[in-house]
Amino acid sequence: MVHNLLFPNYMPLYKDIHLADHTRILVWNISESENVLQRDIFLNQHNLARFRNMKSEMHRRAFLSVRKLMKLAGYSDADLYYDTLGKPNLRDNKHISITHSHEYSAIIVSDKSAGIDLEWARAKVLRIADKFASDELLYLPEDNPNRIQILTVIWGVKESIFKIRNEAGISFKDHIYVPPFDLEGGKAQGVLTFAGETVNYNIEFITFADFVLVWAFESESQN
């Protein structure tokens, strides 16, 4: 069951979603200045170097907002490390996935391996659809009034699955397929076919403020 707490717009913590299996999703509205976000945030040496090398102020603010979310989840920057492929991990062996887009950031922390992605649903997705989708375009006619949102969900599904598997060589277009789904239902499926195996994923998604937030788990019952 999803317990969703929506806070007033002026509060940076935008959503706090509790799922089964000790899974928590936190969403931050990045409305503060960089100086305000830095308060009470201590970065380890590696992440401090990453932060200082970021040329974009928006990226720095997103980076700091993720640390705010981690703090709300009971973690500090010292609890986070990245593997050789750049995948984030927690030292207590729980799983974490991180995402941000424009003025929002989000994390998922779970006992199970999980991936999360946040995308702004905008017309640009129509122009780049053939870069990340193939068979999905066969069931999505160009005159579908919800084409932008559906394509954005598909993109988010593929990003989320990639964050779980996180292997070089995976193609969104060629290796990950999203079967038809009900946009209103908030659930979908994803299939990764790569390196001689097929893995199924359970997907959930929500929309808010023209954004689509997608999260994925590997299906417990594989075919």
Side-chain angles (χ1 to χ4, degrees), residues 30-99:
I30 312 170
S31 56
E32 315 94 314
S33 69
E34 188 175 322
N35 288 337
V36 170
L37 283 165
Q38 281 184 301
R39 294 174 186 168
D40 301 320
I41 295 297
F42 301 94
L43 301 176
N44 64 43
Q45 188 173 3
H46 173 74
N47 286 334
L48 180 60
R50 289 182 59 208
F51 174 74
R52 288 174 172 170
N53 285 329
M54 292 178 181
K55 296 181 179 180
S56 165
E57 180 189 354
M58 189 67 245
H59 286 169
R60 292 194 301 270
R61 290 168 62 207
F63 185 89
L64 292 170
S65 72
V66 166
R67 273 67 195 170
K68 293 287 192 182
L69 292 174
M70 288 179 57
K71 188 173 182 179
L72 288 169
Y75 294 95
S76 71
D77 188 65
D79 298 314
L80 182 72
Y81 70 96
Y82 293 84
D83 64 21
T84 56
L85 293 176
K87 183 177 181 178
N89 296 272
L90 291 170
R91 298 191 187 280
D92 66 357
N93 293 322
K94 280 207 169 189
H95 299 274
I96 186 171
S97 185
I98 296 169
T99 185

Side-chain angles (χ1 to χ4, degrees), residues 8 43 59 78 84-85 93 106 108 113 135 164 190 192 198 200 211 219-220:
L43 301 176
H59 286 169
T84 56
L85 293 176
N93 293 322
I108 185 169
S113 183
D135 291 344
I164 295 174
L192 171 68
T198 298
N200 298 305
F211 286 82
S219 176
E220 294 180 359

Side-chain angles (χ1 to χ4, degrees), residues 13 15-17 24-28 69 72-73 105-108:
L13 181 60
K15 286 183 180 290
D16 186 356
I17 303 172
R24 189 177 182 188
I25 297 169
L26 293 159
V27 182
W28 192 271
L69 292 174
L72 288 169
S105 62
I107 65 171
I108 185 169

Side-chain angles (χ1 to χ4, degrees), residues 157-168:
V157 169
K158 297 191 177 196
E159 288 277 7
S160 298
I161 290 174
F162 179 81
K163 287 180 178 181
I164 295 174
R165 187 64 177 256
N166 200 51
E167 286 187 34

Side-chain angles (χ1 to χ4, degrees), residues 178-190:
V178 183
F181 59 92
D182 177 12
L183 188 62
E184 301 300 321
K187 294 181 184 295
Q189 298 293 313

